[in-house]
Amino acid sequence: MSTSEAANSAPSAAIAGSAEFVSSLLAVLLALGVGAILIIAWGASPLTAYAALLDGAFGSWNSLAETLLRAIPLTFTGLAITVAFRAGTFNLGAEGQLFLGATAATWIGLALPSLPAPLLIPAMIAAAAVVGALWSLLAGVLKLRFGANELITTIMLNYIAILFVSYLLRGPLQEAAGYLPQTERLAANARFPALIAGTRLNAGFLLALLAVVLAHIAFWHTSWGFKLRVIGLNARAALNAGYNVTAITLSAFLISGVLAGLAGYMEVVGVQRRMIENLSPGFGYTGIIVALLGQTNPFGVLAAAILFAGLQVGGSTMQTASGVPSTLTTIIQGLVVLFVIGRGAVDLVLAHRAKRQP
Amino acid sequence: MSDSIGTEPAPLVLRRVTVRFGSFTANDAIDFSVGRGEIHALLGENGAGKTTLMRVVAGLLVPQDGTIQIDGRVVRLTSPLDAAAHGIGMVHQHFMLISTLSVAQNVCVGIAKAGRLFPNLSQVARDLDEIGARYGLHVDPHALVGSLSVASQQRVEIVKALYRGARILVLDEPTAVLAPQEVEGLFRVLRMLAAAGTAIVFISHKLGEVMALSHRVSVLRDGRLVTTKATADTNPAELARLMIGEDLVLPQVDGKHASGPVAIETRSVHLRDEFGVPRLSDVSLAARSGEIVGVAGVDGNGQQQLAEILAGLQTPSSGSVIMTSPDGPIDVSHSGPGERIALGLSHIPEDRHRTALVDMSIADNAALDSIDRPPLARWGFLSHRAIRAFAARLIAANDVRCTGLDQPVMTLSGGNQQKVVLGRALAHSPRVIVAVQPTRGLDLGATVFVHRQLLAQCAAGAAIVLVSTELDEVLALSDRIVVMFAGRIVGSMTRAEVTLQRLGAMMTGQTA
Amino acid sequence: MNPLAFLTDPVTQGFLQATTRLTIPIMLAALGGMFAERAGVLNIALEGMMLAGAFVGFAVAYASGSLWLGVGLGMMAGAIIGLALAFYTVRLSSDQVVVGIAINLTMIGATSYAFRAVFGPGAASPRVTPFPALNIPFLSDIPIAGPLLFQQGILVYAAFLLIPASWIVMSRMSAGMAITAVGEHPEAAETLGISVARVRSLCLVASGLIAGLGGAFLSLSATGLFLDNMTAGRGYIALAILLLGRRNPWGIAAAAALFGGADAFQLRGQGLGSGIPYQFLVMLPYILTIVVLIGFAGKGHNPAALGRPFQRNRAE
């Protein structure tokens, strides 16, 4: 047996199941509570800070639009990790897949600037999807063919991908001006139309919603999704039922990579308009938390993505308004997951009480 | 107890020990004792309550009723440690050994006898050599346990118990894992131990061994103590009758099943496990349409591996598996369960939790291996209505007692879970059925139901390979019986040729 | 010209010193991971433990002026994470991987927040004077071994001592036997009088202490400063080193040296202006990790109960 097998104690089983909306909500409140203590430790008022955060996240059409804009990549990475979780594997490689997908899409966009939008946009999407999928598939093949633990390989592949992108942005793909590690700006025909006039929110959000709906249909209304869930829960029973476990697992890696690649694409065409070295503030990793908090359920993922996007967007407002560093939101995100997983502690306490008072 | 040898109180006395699991009584007011220097055999079929009683003695189960006395004092054994502290040493069927530690480390780990921080392993080795010399129990103290043979590991277990001060030794089916010549070695050791005053409980379902070894024998059946008598006052035939039940007569060969052409067969299949240990040697087995082939044998003699090779969960190291299809025979040796299911195979696996059921609803589990069949899914899209209709038919036809189709399957009782598995396996008129221990852990009603279903499938023309360690079951259903021992098929006979003696001889490896 | 002159050449000397400096953090993390994995717990949180050790060590040393206090409290920070991990994996039987990942993500935020809280946002990066190199008389003049082993900061020597110490614990002491028993066969361990919960918890605390030391080494011995996410995946690389070193202290030391050497080599390559884009050089340890995983996955023995939560008195 290899480490990879030891790691594969069906993450979806650990997360889904007993978890309910209420316990997720409680976990969020508890995490915000701990955050409040940290704000006090900083020397600011939690009330002011959280008010600024809320205002920055949802307070106006513009801030709401910014939050939804930020939720686009988080939804895609969250779905990417959900697909892998559901199949009983850990894809921690969304970050690298995102960078490579974004770069590939940008490259296509810059290489074929004269292509009309109806051709250029699908070409860019296809490039991001294919490159993301191939990078993810690499981890899948390493796992199934060599037994290399995907948990570690995906993280290593992240570093390799990001370094490679950094090389491209400082080398072959660097802007002509040559100052910053970034590409030229994409032409207007590569961009998405705005969704709310006067804001940056674009049609990409509709694609994120579409992805959520498609994922829901795939999980619950196709035989592929059914088999995927069975494999995630009990791979041996799936094998005994005649499923092609290897092919379905690889397809999960593949689709996971497609979704992560699309996350990068969305960020490039919707926000940055070019490929930059710091494209992602860890969307791929936050996607893990989004998937966990969303109970590996597509609609839950959407809700969690919007929540965390709000935290991140509001975080900057909070930093400006009260001086509390926006990295506080990273702590809150992590704590939310730890509290969701830790709800078993409540049962433990209750059981202990019950024992003492029979 | 008057039965004890000598005048001091018997080392271990159980009085009216009762263990219930829900409404099921596993041990019903059992009296049992073992004296100094006595070997007391506990005999019974699988499910008779031996293991439960042993778990009570081991401190793993606290009985609802009854008392345990050690040396005349009533004790409460709530953990294995309690039991060990009272001088009870267990030799479990599945060894409690750490394979990456040496023998010496295994015997002293967890206790301070050889030193609290830095155990003096050479001192331990000397102690082990001394124990070994006294009882003929030689083991190399410095050998890694994982490198030892099963028989040697068993010796390590005994040595470990003695090193840790056991005066009462309980051995659970100790010969199940041994070859016949090794059994003799074990018996020599046990006799020497008894002669030195150790009280020994020997749990078994093998009559010959009980007759050869024990001073007294107690027979359990259906959770009740049937009798306790001196071994000298009884004979194998009487014990067999007591163990199986007086009412048991070999079922009439209702069969005369009209057997047709061969539906599945293995041709000189060999299998080595991941460590290179041979598990199957030259196994050739054929099952014809319309017949039930029973595979009997003591647990762990390769039956499980054979079943997995038939079902496609394992690939033979050499040899082949052939299934017949309407287009002629097909070599399926290297194809997985999927291809075999397409050819009409269905598998009722031994461990339903590990291999058959998924933590989803009853409906989903019912549809598990039919999910690609229209109308359950068309063009890759599920029809939940068709799935529910299918599941509803399945649970109605198989009398699954549940609150509804959405009930999680893991919350069903074992019998109802097995009915889901069975119903699923039989849903599409399989041409070949591989059924492994299909009634393990089921109550009588469910058992009868499963048997009836299998017979009906057989009458409808399925070829059935029935693997079971329950002799009753094999005898009740099979047209032909093969016996496995140490990874080989040691004998094959029609049911008319079966006698208990012949069967017993084959199960202990004597070819008849 | 002396053909061996390159051995005492300053470039080679620097390379050898750097090898050790880069080896020690991942070696310590892997040693910490060893205690957890030998007891059957997959410690993905090594990264978070290191990061906590690096930050707390730095902050305390900066505030108190005592490097040693920093080291001590940095280790404590790792140990506290170990306790948290133990609570989740031992008491709650949570999925060991999920908890580890959540801890790592939380620690990235927590150290970064705390750094700003302590040193102010956007402040010029504060520094402490790291442990100075302590040349061992005579030994430090030996070619190769001298710069490699005997011209190092004192924490390096402490780390070296941990290798034989861990080996003695694991192979000579009752504790090591108990840890092995728990990792291989927890049910058997319980029948032998060993508390699986206690052994696993203590192992995770030890794991945190050692990984925390590895983190403190990064900030207090290797650099003298703290940067956001400065561990850069070393906690994950340590898991590959564990595999390559067969969860044995000596093997871990050798495997870590291989990675340290690769890292020093790529740093040297950057410095020398080899013409290879530096990004490809920086990739080296990460690629090496994957190669190791491919080559060594499934080989060698894994603790049989690795990754499997244990519940006492589980029904049947």
Side-chain angles (χ1 to χ4, degrees):
Chain A
M1 202 188 82
S2 70
T3 311
S4 57
E5 285 175 59
N8 282 341
S9 39
S12 47
I15 303 141
S18 58
E20 281 133 41
F21 177 70
V22 177
S23 71
S24 297
L25 197 70
L26 277 177
V28 171
L29 291 177
L30 210 55
L32 286 173
V34 175
I37 296 171
L38 292 175
I39 293 171
I40 294 169
W42 175 269
S45 146
L47 229 54
T48 326
Y50 279 153
L53 191 148
L54 198 64
D55 186 52
F58 304 105
S60 67
W61 278 113
N62 193 50
S63 49
L64 183 64
E66 283 297 311
T67 294
L68 295 184
L69 182 69
R70 179 56 71 98
I72 298 171
L74 287 179
T75 305
F76 276 102
T77 54
L79 288 177
I81 284 146
T82 296
V83 171
F85 268 166
R86 284 280 180 186
T89 63
F90 284 93
N91 173 13
L92 305 188
E95 188 77 0
Q97 293 148 20
L98 180 155
F99 267 93
L100 288 180
T103 310
T106 314
W107 180 67
I108 292 282
L110 293 171
L112 307 167
S114 51
L115 222 54
L119 288 178
L120 184 60
I121 290 178
M124 288 172 72
I125 290 181
V130 168
V131 171
L134 288 178
W135 199 243
S136 173
L137 209 54
L138 179 57
V141 170
L142 291 178
K143 173 191 170 78
L144 294 176
R145 174 72 185 75
F146 301 104
N149 185 349
E150 80 274 18
L151 201 70
I152 308 175
T153 57
T154 49
I155 286 178
M156 295 300 119
L157 288 172
N158 283 347
Y159 286 106
I160 294 169
I162 292 168
L163 285 164
F164 180 66
V165 168
S166 157
Y167 156 73
L168 291 177
L169 293 181
R170 290 164 189 273
L173 292 184
Q174 191 170 25
E175 58 175 353
Y179 290 122
L180 296 168
Q182 60 183 22
T183 63
E184 293 289 352
R185 242 172 121 79
L186 286 166
N189 57 347
R191 298 178 199 159
F192 275 166
L195 210 57
I196 304 178
T199 71
R200 298 201 293 169
L201 186 62
N202 58 59
F205 187 68
L206 298 180
L207 287 181
L209 291 181
L210 182 67
V212 167
V213 172
L214 287 180
H216 176 85
I217 292 173
F219 282 148
W220 305 104
H221 296 283
T222 70
S223 61
W224 174 82
F226 184 90
K227 291 176 181 175
L228 187 82
R229 288 185 284 125
V230 170
I231 289 172
L233 290 168
N234 186 346
R236 187 175 155 89
L239 188 68
N240 189 52
Y243 301 175
N244 189 337
V245 174
T246 308
I248 296 173
T249 306
L250 280 179
S251 75
F253 271 100
L254 194 108
I255 289 176
S256 185
V258 165
L259 289 164
L262 288 180
Y265 163 77
M266 295 290 166
E267 196 63 8
V268 162
V269 297
V271 181
Q272 306 295 347
R273 306 287 161 81
R274 56 164 42 117
M275 185 60 203
I276 61 169
E277 209 177 29
N278 298 322
L279 180 75
S280 158
F283 290 131
Y285 296 109
T286 311
I288 303 167
I289 309 189
V290 167
L292 292 172
L293 181 65
Q295 316 285 2
T296 61
N297 230 318
F299 289 108
V301 165
L302 179 67
I306 293 174
L307 176 77
F308 284 163
L311 268 178
Q312 292 183 0
V313 170
S316 329
T317 317
M318 175 183 74
Q319 182 166 349
T320 323
S322 63
V324 177
S326 59
T327 45
L328 177 72
T329 58
T330 319
I331 306 179
I332 294 177
Q333 290 172 15
L335 287 179
V336 166
V337 176
L338 284 176
F339 290 145
V340 169
I341 313 168
R343 69 180 165 268
V346 180
D347 304 338
L348 216 63
V349 172
L350 292 179
H352 190 67
R353 278 228 188 132
K355 215 184 261 175
R356 278 199 304 194
Q357 299 164 331
Chain B
M1 288 289 281
S2 56
D3 322 300
S4 64
I5 297 172
T7 50
E8 73 267 44
L12 175 69
V13 178
L14 306 183
R15 281 189 205 280
R16 307 199 62 74
V17 164
T18 302
V19 178
R20 284 180 223 98
F21 299 110
S23 61
F24 172 68
T25 305
N27 283 165
D28 192 356
I30 291 181
D31 289 316
F32 184 84
S33 74
V34 58
R36 254 178 69 82
E38 183 192 31
I39 302 178
H40 190 157
L42 189 58
L43 185 69
E45 290 223 281
N46 289 329
K50 291 173 303 188
T51 304
T52 305
L53 196 63
M54 185 211 69
R55 288 169 68 87
V56 167
V57 174
L60 290 162
L61 267 178
V62 179
Q64 278 93 347
D65 224 334
T67 57
I68 305 167
Q69 290 175 24
I70 307 267
D71 297 330
R73 281 203 322 277
V74 174
V75 295
R76 243 176 86 80
L77 304 177
T78 58
S79 77
L81 278 187
D82 280 355
H86 285 100
I88 297 172
M90 304 291 308
V91 177
H92 295 267
Q93 205 176 344
H94 301 284
F95 299 145
M96 292 293 176
L97 294 172
I98 319 299
S99 56
T100 54
L101 292 181
S102 72
V103 170
Q105 289 175 318
N106 259 284
V107 303
C108 73
V109 63
I111 54 172
K113 184 170 170 181
R116 189 162 291 282
L117 284 179
F118 289 89
N120 182 347
L121 292 177
S122 40
Q123 179 62 46
V124 175
R126 278 195 294 279
D127 291 351
L128 294 192
D129 284 340
E130 193 205 318
I131 293 174
R134 203 180 317 149
Y135 304 111
L137 266 171
H138 288 288
V139 284
D140 173 7
H142 304 292
L144 271 190
V145 162
S147 70
L148 298 177
S149 71
V150 169
S152 304
Q153 293 193 12
Q154 189 173 62
R155 282 201 293 277
V156 175
E157 279 283 32
I158 297 173
V159 167
K160 181 174 86 179
L162 297 175
Y163 178 85
R164 288 170 171 249
R167 296 170 295 114
I168 304 158
L169 198 59
V170 184
L171 300 103
D172 184 18
E173 304 269 0
T175 59
V177 294
L178 297 182
Q181 60 274 32
E182 294 167 334
V183 170
E184 204 31 63
L186 172 68
F187 284 6
R188 260 198 311 278
V189 167
L190 295 183
R191 288 192 190 105
M192 283 172 88
L193 282 170
T198 309
I200 295 175
V201 181
F202 179 83
I203 300 173
S204 179
H205 62 256
K206 296 180 191 167
L207 302 172
E209 295 174 355
V210 168
M211 292 303 298
L213 182 68
S214 65
H215 301 122
R216 274 194 305 162
V217 51
S218 289
V219 180
L220 286 185
R221 190 173 72 235
D222 298 334
R224 269 190 287 273
L225 183 70
V226 181
T227 188
T228 297
K229 38 173 53 180
T231 310
D233 298 343
T234 182
N235 57 62
E238 184 191 23
L239 288 178
R241 212 164 49 241
L242 290 169
M243 184 166 111
I244 298 169
E246 325 255 350
D247 47 341
L248 187 114
V249 278
L250 287 185
Q252 289 305 303
V253 181
D254 71 326
K256 299 164 208 124
H257 294 145
S259 56
V262 169
I264 189 166
E265 65 176 311
T266 64
R267 293 188 186 154
S268 55
V269 158
H270 291 256
L271 178 73
R272 287 173 179 281
D273 68 12
E274 54 192 305
F275 306 109
V277 178
R279 292 292 172 184
L280 292 177
S281 310
D282 196 24
V283 172
S284 296
L285 176 78
R288 296 171 175 277
S289 296
E291 78 168 344
I292 299 182
V293 179
V295 179
V298 176
D299 214 357
N301 276 295
Q303 302 98 309
Q304 161 131 39
Q305 285 79 3
L306 175 61
E308 290 193 352
I309 277 180
L310 288 171
L313 291 171
Q314 289 215 48
T315 310
S317 313
S318 69
S320 52
V321 183
I322 315 285
M323 281 184 78
T324 28
S325 74
D327 311 326
I330 297 179
D331 187 330
V332 292
S333 311
H334 296 277
S335 39
E339 289 87 335
R340 302 188 195 199
I341 291 170
L343 288 171
L345 181 133
S346 110
H347 178 209
I348 302 168
E350 174 173 27
D351 184 343
R352 55 181 168 263
H353 289 126
R354 203 161 84 86
T355 317
L357 294 175
V358 179
D359 189 5
M360 302 193 344
S361 69
I362 294 175
D364 287 345
N365 274 281
L368 203 71
D369 46 13
S370 313
I371 200 70
D372 280 328
R373 290 176 196 255
L376 303 196
R378 283 184 206 279
W379 308 107
F381 285 92
L382 303 178
S383 161
H384 287 290
R385 192 172 344 134
I387 290 172
R388 296 181 69 84
F390 174 80
R393 276 200 308 280
L394 192 144
I395 66 173
N398 292 282
D399 189 29
V400 178
R401 310 276 167 83
C402 59
T403 58
L405 292 173
D406 297 319
Q407 186 182 350
V409 81
M410 297 304 181
T411 61
L412 289 176
S413 70
N416 282 309
Q417 286 179 354
Q418 188 69 358
K419 285 177 181 172
V420 172
V421 173
L422 181 85
R424 196 169 79 192
L426 307 184
H428 304 290
S429 340
R431 298 176 48 246
V432 176
I433 300 169
V434 179
V436 189
Q437 308 282 13
T439 59
R440 176 174 284 181
L442 302 194
D443 62 27
L444 197 63
T447 301
V448 168
F449 181 83
V450 171
H451 287 172
R452 218 177 272 145
Q453 292 282 356
L454 288 176
L455 287 170
Q457 290 294 326
C458 179
I464 300 180
V465 178
L466 171 70
V467 178
S468 176
T469 51
E470 311 273 340
L471 275 185
D472 292 5
E473 181 164 270
V474 173
L475 293 174
L477 301 179
S478 311
D479 301 287
R480 206 153 53 78
I481 292 158
V482 300
V483 180
M484 291 195 72
F485 182 78
R488 293 176 179 277
I489 291 183
V490 290
S492 167
M493 55 202 154
T494 65
R495 187 163 35 177
E497 298 164 353
V498 169
T499 61
L500 268 183
Q501 284 81 350
R502 255 189 103 179
L503 210 52
M506 286 181 179
M507 285 169 69
T508 49
Q510 305 154 33
T511 36
Chain C
M1 193 184 150
N2 182 356
L4 292 177
F6 77 94
L7 288 180
T8 48
D9 164 38
V11 174
T12 314
Q13 295 249 352
F15 169 73
L16 293 171
Q17 273 176 320
T19 295
T20 306
R21 198 170 61 238
L22 294 162
T23 297
I24 296 297
I26 44 179
M27 185 194 85
L28 287 172
L31 267 185
M34 181 194 78
F35 282 103
E37 291 204 357
R38 291 284 290 264
V41 184
L42 209 60
N43 186 357
I44 304 290
L46 287 174
E47 178 87 0
M49 291 172 163
M50 286 183 87
L51 205 50
F55 169 73
V56 171
F58 177 79
V60 169
Y62 186 87
S64 70
S66 160
L67 289 173
W68 284 112
L69 192 63
V71 169
L73 291 184
M75 291 173 73
M76 286 301 295
I80 289 169
I81 296 179
L83 269 182
L85 190 60
F87 173 74
Y88 274 102
T89 58
V90 176
R91 286 305 300 273
L92 301 183
S93 301
S94 303
D95 186 291
Q96 297 171 359
V97 174
V98 170
V99 177
I101 291 168
I103 286 180
N104 289 346
L105 293 173
T106 310
M107 288 321 296
I108 290 178
T111 51
S112 152
Y113 180 82
F115 183 75
R116 279 157 190 74
V118 176
F119 299 100
S125 55
R127 285 182 160 273
V128 297
T129 314
F131 284 104
L134 215 78
N135 288 6
I136 310 256
F138 308 116
L139 291 176
S140 59
D141 298 330
I142 306 172
I144 304 184
L148 205 54
L149 304 176
F150 302 114
Q151 302 175 10
Q152 303 287 348
I154 188 148
L155 281 190
V156 172
Y157 303 124
F160 283 152
L161 284 182
L162 271 177
I163 304 167
S166 311
W167 180 75
I168 288 171
V169 169
M170 287 311 297
S171 61
R172 287 286 174 270
M173 294 183 66
S174 321
M177 283 158 45
I179 291 170
T180 307
V182 166
E184 290 293 333
H185 198 335
E187 294 80 13
E190 288 275 336
T191 67
L192 294 167
I194 301 164
S195 161
V196 174
R198 188 180 312 133
V199 169
R200 286 192 168 172
S201 301
L202 287 174
C203 277
L204 284 172
V205 169
S207 193
L209 284 173
I210 303 173
L213 177 63
F217 180 90
L218 275 180
S219 59
L220 296 181
S221 188
T223 59
L225 47 81
F226 177 83
L227 302 167
D228 277 357
N229 200 13
M230 78 182 298
T231 45
R234 285 184 174 82
Y236 299 106
I237 293 179
L239 294 172
I241 288 174
L242 260 179
L243 209 64
L244 182 60
R246 303 269 164 103
R247 297 188 187 81
N248 167 304
W250 301 106
I252 287 169
L258 176 69
F259 275 78
D263 219 358
F265 174 77
Q266 65 90 358
L267 276 179
R268 187 61 40 189
Q270 287 183 45
L272 290 178
S274 56
I276 302 171
Y278 77 91
Q279 292 93 344
F280 291 98
L281 293 168
V282 180
M283 276 180 206
L284 208 59
Y286 303 116
I287 295 175
L288 190 60
T289 304
I290 293 180
V291 171
V292 163
L293 286 174
I294 292 172
F296 286 82
K299 306 216 174 70
H301 175 83
N302 283 326
L306 186 60
R308 191 155 57 85
F310 173 77
Q311 280 160 318
R312 198 187 292 185
N313 299 334
R314 197 166 24 197
E316 298 302 288

